[in-house]
Amino acid sequence: MTHTPQHTAAAGNSPRGRGFARPALILLLSAAALLLICVLSLIAGSKVTDPGQVLTALRGEGDAHLQTVIASRIPRTVLGACVGAALAVAGVLVQGITRNPLGDPGLLGVSIGASAAVVTATAFLGFSGGVGTVWIALIGALLSVSVVYLVGTRGGGGIAPLLLAGAVVSAVLGTYIQAMILTRPEVFDSFRFWVIGSLAGRDLGSLASVAPVLILGGLLALMLASGLNALALGEDVATSLGVRVAWVRGGGILSAALLCAAATAAVGPIAFIGLAVPHIVRSLIGTDHRWQIPAAILLGATLLIAADIAGRVIARPGELMVGIVTAFIGAPFLLLAVRGGRVVRS
């Protein structure tokens, strides 16, 4: 991993001070795109419907089977929007704090912590899905991040020890997971359906379970936007501007951990949204986190719902899990970004 100075937004600039029109237009277009993709999510699937049929079904009229199909698409659309937004904002925070354009929430051990907790609960407590698994995953993710933070920040030393601690914890927990699924075949059978993130079969109960955590993480992210702008100028400059670097960094890590942990707990690990969306946002809207975060909310939600629609359409009459689709889309994106030098310049 390389660490490159990437952000140049001045800490004290008002969003209205420079270039207000373009970011505002981008947000407006992003909101329109999200609205459109939500409508498409209700229409598209293994059973193709038209807008008139959808409206009829939403009024509780027409074919009963179609009403059931449309009703099943509503919670996965809402859940996809919330999870996509959370992962994208977490990616913006991690890349801003670490000043690493290749940073994503996985660097903090969130996903691997949730996975280890689910494996443990499945093996020893007999969990096999449901709201209980959501809570287990959330607790595991937060515990993993706590260990990474405590180990990585002990004695100071900047961001490098934190990233190294994340790598070590991820390696240890990854080995533990492999050992468990190899020695307990019944654990593998249950775990393999969770470890590839999916919106299928999830209800709004999963979202309700993690909603307080998502809201807390989101509010904290918005509060830290100005501080992240100052931190992007370097720790010394940020300190001279009166910014408490340790508070901004710790708060940003906490916010990213809460958002990613809640998203992972709700639908399982989903890759590349937290990595790709921040790059798209910066290319569209610039480096000011006060614009980046709301843009990431809209575009993250849009991209994850779009990936879910693609998974439903490509593999008719079945469907691909959204975690597989994002991996297929995200990997080529990352390669193109690296070849084009965008990763370094971002």
Side-chain angles (χ1 to χ4, degrees):
M1 301 282 180
T2 59
H3 301 269
T4 57
Q6 52 178 320
H7 305 287
T8 56
N13 288 343
S14 166
R16 294 178 180 272
R18 293 188 305 179
F20 173 80
R22 177 181 169 81
L25 178 61
I26 295 296
L27 289 184
L28 185 62
L29 293 176
S30 299
L34 176 58
L35 179 61
L36 177 61
I37 206 69
C38 286
V39 173
L40 289 176
S41 181
L42 297 180
I43 296 174
S46 58
K47 181 178 178 57
V48 180
T49 56
D50 59 53
Q53 291 176 309
V54 171
L55 290 175
T56 300
L58 290 176
R59 289 197 298 267
E61 302 172 354
D63 182 68
H65 175 67
L66 183 59
Q67 292 181 37
T68 303
V69 171
I70 299 301
S72 70
R73 292 173 183 171
I74 294 175
R76 69 188 299 169
T77 302
V78 175
L79 192 57
C82 294
V83 168
L87 292 175
V89 173
V92 168
L93 293 172
V94 171
Q95 292 185 15
I97 293 167
T98 62
R99 303 172 68 189
N100 183 347
L102 294 180
D104 77 353
L107 287 177
L108 303 177
V110 178
S111 300
I112 198 72
S115 299
V118 170
V119 164
T120 302
T122 303
F124 299 108
L125 302 177
F127 279 75
S128 59
V131 175
T133 301
V134 172
W135 281 105
I136 290 292
L138 183 61
I139 293 171
L142 294 178
L143 282 176
S144 177
V145 173
S146 299
V147 171
V148 169
Y149 186 78
L150 290 175
V151 174
T153 59
R154 187 176 183 180
I159 203 66
L162 186 68
L163 298 179
L164 182 59
V168 171
V169 170
S170 296
V172 171
L173 292 180
T175 302
Y176 165 75
I177 292 170
Q178 291 297 320
M180 290 299 295
I181 63 177
L182 287 175
T183 56
R184 292 173 175 260
E186 74 279 8
V187 174
F188 174 73
D189 288 339
S190 177
F191 177 69
R192 64 191 173 116
F193 290 107
W194 180 86
V195 75
I196 301 175
S198 174
L199 301 177
R202 302 299 201 277
D203 56 27
L204 293 180
S206 300
L207 179 61
S209 299
V210 300
V213 181
L214 283 175
I215 293 172
L216 179 61
L219 291 176
L220 187 56
L222 292 171
M223 292 169 58
L224 292 170
S226 295
L228 290 172
N229 283 347
L231 189 60
L233 301 174
E235 292 186 15
D236 292 338
V237 175
T239 302
S240 69
L241 292 172
V243 174
R244 294 183 176 182
V245 173
W247 282 97
V248 172
R249 181 174 291 160
I253 291 173
L254 176 61
S255 174
L258 291 174
L259 290 169
C260 188
T264 304
V267 303
I270 293 180
F272 286 107
I273 294 294
L275 176 62
V277 172
H279 287 278
I280 298 173
V281 168
R282 277 198 297 274
S283 68
L284 292 175
I285 215 164
T287 56
D288 191 332
H289 287 86
R290 292 168 294 185
W291 289 112
Q292 281 191 43
I293 290 174
I297 291 172
L298 296 171
L299 290 177
T302 302
L303 287 184
L304 189 57
I305 295 174
D308 185 47
I309 294 173
R312 282 184 257 164
V313 172
I314 291 173
R316 286 175 180 167
E319 64 177 74
L320 288 176
M321 294 180 174
V322 70
I324 297 175
V325 178
T326 57
F328 272 111
I329 295 175
F333 167 82
L334 182 59
L335 289 174
L336 290 173
V338 171
R339 286 180 60 84
R342 294 180 182 276
V343 165
V344 177
R345 293 198 300 265
S346 60

